[in-house]
Amino acid sequence: APPAPVPVVTPLPTAPPPARDSQACAVVAALPEPALLLSAAGNIITANQRVALALGPTRVGDPLSFVVRVPEVLDAVRAAAADGVPRRVEFAERIPLDRWLEAHVVPLRLHVSPERAPDAVLLTFRDLTQQRRVEQMRADFVANASHELRTPLASLSGFIETLQGPARNDTPARERFLAIMAAQARRMSRLIDDLLSLSRIELNAHVQPQTKVDLGAIIAHVCDTLSPLARDRGVELEQVRETADLEILGDRDELIRLFENLVENALKYGAAGKKVEVRLARENGTAVVSVRDFGPGISPEHLPRLTERFYRVDVAASRDQGGTGLGLAIVKHIVARHRGRLGVESELGNGAIFSVRMEALPNPEKNL
Ligand code: ADP
């Protein structure tokens, strides 16, 4: 049989690519942000690799509108190429992710020519999402903190007015109001204490503590301090020590604060279970302290948010217990400063286990 004819491939005619200037391309490739160099007509001369990650694939010669579909950016590129004036455009995208971006549009004259008009446009993008989130968090935090302080303050002012006016000569009412006022003042001072601790711990976040501390002694101290609260709530507070010596590098005061917060929460929110267990163990090279209660537990949708500032499962229940909503945020920061990990396991109706894992110092007995 005659050999099959070999197909002849003729390249399709393509439009000549826009003038590529290798120096300009190298500079664009080296820019730390997504950057595209465009011809004055708005076609892609070159794009760096970050463009592919941030916006999608690009092809030399394609119009910009193939990769960027934001009308404000396209208009800014057109306008800059026409009048030679740089522009900055901020825009938000919803899909595929919520993000805020900023585009800088800078007209250039790459080639010396008698014409004054720009022959290229440099387009760079900056992702503002992280910055926006931080700004939002800061604003939310100030709003939350003021709100938390304003409530007891409003109650105090209300009682002061009542005592100056209608209840001026009513002795029993005065005694009752003063007791409430004292409780509100305590609440405000607890909140301020918690806010100050939080900012102090955050300030030191990058300095890992270097003092040798005995975790067993800290847990014993915390359980002693909280035994009156346990008695008050009718809860048995039990310490389970699976290991004799457990030392870590830590900050004693912060660790006391950390375990006080966890045990106090278990006593407050898990009182119905009548028992709280504080367990101390060594798992390979890790010190594990877990605080377990047998109370109502926490439903799964709340678990990821528990350590957010001012997040509470039940705001009224937390306030009744004198909670500020900052306890677990403080816990999270202390654990982070100790380069440890915080874990929460809980099921509705089956109590909760909060566990802290930190690197243990080698056991001295093993070295004998
Ligand atoms: P609070 O000052 O309100 O106690 P925390 O940050 O310590 O603030 O705790 C946040 C919320 O987590 C509490 O309001 C409570 O709803 C929930 N929580 C914490 N520990 C427990 C627990 N052991 N059992 C059930 N809910 C808990």
Side-chain angles (χ1 to χ4, degrees), residues 194 261-262 265-270 293 295-298 306-308 310-315 317-319 321-330 346 351-352 354:
D194 278 359
N261 283 352
L262 291 182
N265 277 351
L267 292 172
K268 290 190 311 194
Y269 302 110
D293 71 69
I298 305 159
L306 283 185
T307 57
E308 281 176 25
F310 299 115
Y311 189 84
R312 292 127 154 162
V313 175
D314 178 339
V315 178
S318 156
R319 292 237 171 92
Q321 303 279 3
T324 58
L326 292 173
L328 290 177
I330 293 175
S346 184
F354 286 80

Side-chain angles (χ1 to χ4, degrees), residues 59 84 99 142 157 230 356 363:
R59 224 171 38 190
R99 55 178 188 170
V142 172
S157 318
V356 177
N363 193 338

